[in-house]
Amino acid sequence: MNGQVQIVSQTIAKPSSPTPNHLRHLQLSSLDQIMVPIFVPWQVFYPNSPGISNAERCERLRKSLSDTLTLFYPLAGRVRQHSHIDCNDEGVPFVEAKAKSTIVEVLQSMHCNKFKELIPFQVQHDSDLCSFVQVTHFECGGIVIGVGLSHKIADAVSDVTFFNSWAAIARGERNNVLVPKFEAAKHFPPIDISDFDPCFEVVKDNRKIVSKRFVFDATSIKKLRDKYTENYCSPTGNMIKPPTRVEVLTAFICSRVMAATQLRADNSDTVYMVKHALDFRRRMDPPLSKQHIGNITFEPVVAETQIDTEDKYCYGVINQMRRTLTSADTDYVKKFQEGDEQLNLMKDRAERQRYKKVVSLSFTSFCWFPVYEIDFGWGKPEWIGSACWPYQNMFLFTDTKEKGGIEMNANLLEEDMANFEKDVELAAIFISQLSNPF
């Protein structure tokens, strides 16, 4: 957006009721401890609402945020290293800004790096903050709510639970909000990570990372599913359950990234390590609900592959993914609860990526998350976006508002993005931009 956003005011939103003394120390779980200390950036876009002014919308957001923080009190606290949250009610930076443009002009760009002006801090920010909020007013009357929650305290499920709880309170429906539970450390006891750096995969100079969004509508997804279903068989050659939207898009994107990077002369023996974020809640015994806030998530390696002219579309990745995720059962999760399983896996991953020719491809799916239900009282959002993440080869999937489609945020090194965008196979599938809802 090139400096078109101007900060109007900055205040601190604190819980409307003080946090009780017995809740002021929140121990991080082992999964929280190994999580990278960045902010997860969300931008929620709303059009002009004739029934309420932007000043009124902003004030409603500010007041309801304070009320929400009485329930989500750790978000108003401060992170203390990789140990705990000091739930001291210091508050959440609440920034109000104005943009010298319209939302349509913003959405015409597929370049997610430009969204960084819609949040007040960088995603990778040396801070002990747990959260921040920025409300940006546009000349068209629309607004964007930019939120960053620390990944040390919240995974994607937690983020969406917070958003929808905040929205319900803003609508005056507090009685319908389920009380969040901050019990992750009880299920995943803390461990010693003094010899582990959670930032080992973060690109320190994120100017080298380019983030762009690619939209695959329902028709494009169906074409992909038909293609992969035709070539997807069990090891015995028998057709089994057809692959899902996320499975086929994961395999397809793997193949296109490999094609984009095989131009390098030194990558013929490179191993591509495919990772997919996995929510443990429903795999536990007993299962946990979405009320349980924290990083109850891990990113296992679901497949490994190399450039192979006989499987250039990575059909085999789907079989590997299915076997890995099927084996992630209750016993699998118990290993993470009873020892240093997660830490040892992360150390091994860091070692492999550091000393061997291993390239990491990370996938996270927000598909089926109720992100388009976030209604603060002036209607549901028209679009949900995300700023650039400081990771190489990271891909985020979300549902499009139009049923059946998937939007992907791709974070690649600049030289790889240039080749990725020119890929003929990719260009034949994705559509250049979203239909304009504004």
Side-chain angles (χ1 to χ4, degrees):
M1 297 175 64
N2 301 323
Q4 291 186 320
V5 175
Q6 179 183 1
I7 302 299
V8 175
S9 67
Q10 178 170 332
T11 57
I12 297 294
K14 296 187 176 185
S16 55
S17 299
T19 299
N21 288 333
H22 71 282
L23 297 177
R24 286 185 168 248
H25 180 97
L26 178 65
Q27 177 66 56
L28 293 179
S29 73
S30 57
L31 296 177
D32 294 327
Q33 289 177 290
I34 64 173
M35 189 58 64
V36 62
I38 64 171
F39 292 104
V40 177
W42 295 83
Q43 289 92 34
V44 190
F45 289 68
Y46 295 91
N48 181 33
S49 181
I52 184 172
S53 70
N54 277 347
E56 291 172 314
R57 289 206 276 190
C58 194
E59 184 56 31
R60 180 184 296 182
L61 288 169
R62 194 191 328 267
K63 184 179 185 306
S64 58
L65 176 60
S66 291
D67 292 339
T68 305
L69 290 175
T70 62
L71 297 176
F72 290 81
Y73 55 90
L75 298 181
R78 297 295 182 263
V79 182
R80 302 306 184 202
Q81 299 179 342
H82 301 293
S83 171
H84 66 280
I85 305 296
D86 183 2
C87 306
N88 55 16
D89 293 347
E90 281 194 36
V92 176
F94 187 96
V95 175
E96 189 174 0
K98 288 187 178 180
K100 298 178 181 178
S101 61
T102 66
I103 287 182
V104 170
E105 291 170 341
V106 174
L107 293 183
Q108 284 176 342
S109 171
M110 305 297 281
H111 210 307
C112 300
N113 295 64
K114 296 182 178 181
F115 294 164
K116 64 183 180 182
E117 293 184 56
L118 300 176
I119 53 177
F121 302 103
Q122 294 183 4
V123 171
Q124 185 184 356
H125 183 63
D126 186 15
S127 171
D128 58 0
L129 289 170
C130 290
S131 58
F132 57 70
V133 174
Q134 177 174 315
V135 181
T136 305
H137 307 275
F138 284 79
E139 292 180 341
C140 59
I143 66 169
V144 175
I145 304 172
V147 175
L149 301 186
S150 172
H151 219 331
K152 298 300 290 185
I153 183 61
D155 58 12
V157 173
S158 304
D159 292 348
V160 176
T161 297
F162 165 74
F163 254 122
N164 279 295
S165 298
W166 180 16
I169 290 173
R171 297 194 306 268
E173 300 176 8
R174 179 163 183 161
N175 291 337
N176 294 328
V177 175
L178 298 177
V179 177
K181 297 181 179 181
F182 297 93
E183 302 174 345
K186 183 176 78 172
H187 299 284
F188 299 91
I191 55 178
D192 179 9
I193 66 162
S194 57
D195 60 346
F196 174 70
D197 179 13
C199 296
F200 76 91
E201 288 186 302
V202 173
V203 177
K204 308 303 181 185
D205 182 5
N206 62 12
R207 290 174 299 176
K208 296 180 181 179
I209 298 292
V210 175
S211 180
K212 293 192 175 182
R213 52 197 177 99
F214 299 82
V215 182
F216 303 84
D217 62 13
T219 300
S220 300
I221 295 292
K222 184 180 184 304
K223 289 180 181 178
L224 270 183
R225 290 190 72 183
D226 289 346
K227 176 178 181 177
Y228 277 82
T229 299
E230 181 181 351
N231 292 276
Y232 175 55
C233 297
S234 71
T236 60
N238 297 320
M239 181 63 65
I240 57 179
K241 184 179 178 181
T244 66
R245 296 181 306 155
V246 170
E247 287 172 341
V248 299
L249 195 54
T250 298
F252 178 71
I253 295 303
C254 285
S255 73
R256 302 341 303 153
V257 172
M258 292 167 63
T261 58
Q262 70 179 328
L263 300 176
R264 300 176 184 172
D266 62 343
N267 76 336
S268 58
D269 59 343
T270 296
V271 174
Y272 290 83
M273 185 168 64
V274 184
K275 301 176 296 182
H276 233 297
L278 178 65
D279 181 15
F280 280 168
R281 289 171 178 81
R282 60 186 177 86
R283 298 171 187 266
M284 296 173 64
D285 183 20
L288 299 184
S289 71
K290 295 178 181 179
Q291 291 172 256
H292 288 80
I293 306 300
N295 287 289
I296 311 177
T297 304
F298 189 68
E299 191 181 47
V301 175
V302 297
E304 291 192 4
T305 187
Q306 290 180 280
I307 294 174
D308 183 351
T309 55
E310 294 184 2
D311 187 19
K312 67 176 184 177
Y313 294 111
C314 295
Y315 297 117
V317 165
I318 294 179
N319 275 325
Q320 292 186 59
M321 285 177 60
R322 285 228 168 141
R323 285 196 297 268
T324 301
L325 296 179
T326 299
S327 66
D329 55 12
T330 301
D331 291 336
Y332 176 86
V333 177
K334 282 182 179 178
K335 294 179 182 179
F336 287 75
Q337 297 178 280
E338 298 172 351
D340 295 345
E341 179 79 7
Q342 66 276 42
L343 182 60
N344 293 332
L345 287 173
M346 294 295 282
K347 285 181 177 179
D348 177 69
R349 184 179 303 174
E351 190 76 6
R352 293 184 66 197
Q353 291 180 226
R354 183 176 181 181
Y355 292 109
K356 297 182 179 180
K357 296 189 65 175
V358 175
V359 175
S360 172
L361 305 179
S362 296
F363 293 84
T364 297
S365 174
F366 299 146
C367 292
W368 304 112
F369 281 29
V371 292
Y372 282 101
E373 300 299 316
I374 304 172
D375 180 0
F376 288 92
W378 48 77
K380 297 178 181 180
E382 292 290 354
W383 189 68
I384 306 290
S386 180
C388 180
W389 292 55
Y391 287 100
Q392 176 183 351
N393 304 332
M394 183 174 186
F395 307 90
L396 309 178
F397 298 157
T398 56
D399 287 317
T400 57
K401 195 172 185 182
E402 294 78 16
K403 186 176 181 180
I406 291 179
E407 179 174 345
M408 178 184 74
N409 273 32
N411 296 263
L412 296 165
L413 291 178
E414 188 173 10
E415 60 189 289
D416 292 338
M417 181 64 79
N419 292 327
F420 185 71
E421 287 186 293
K422 291 186 294 187
D423 183 81
V424 175
E425 300 278 357
L426 179 69
I429 295 295
F430 83 92
I431 59 178
S432 61
Q433 61 184 11
L434 292 166
S435 58
N436 179 15
F438 292 90

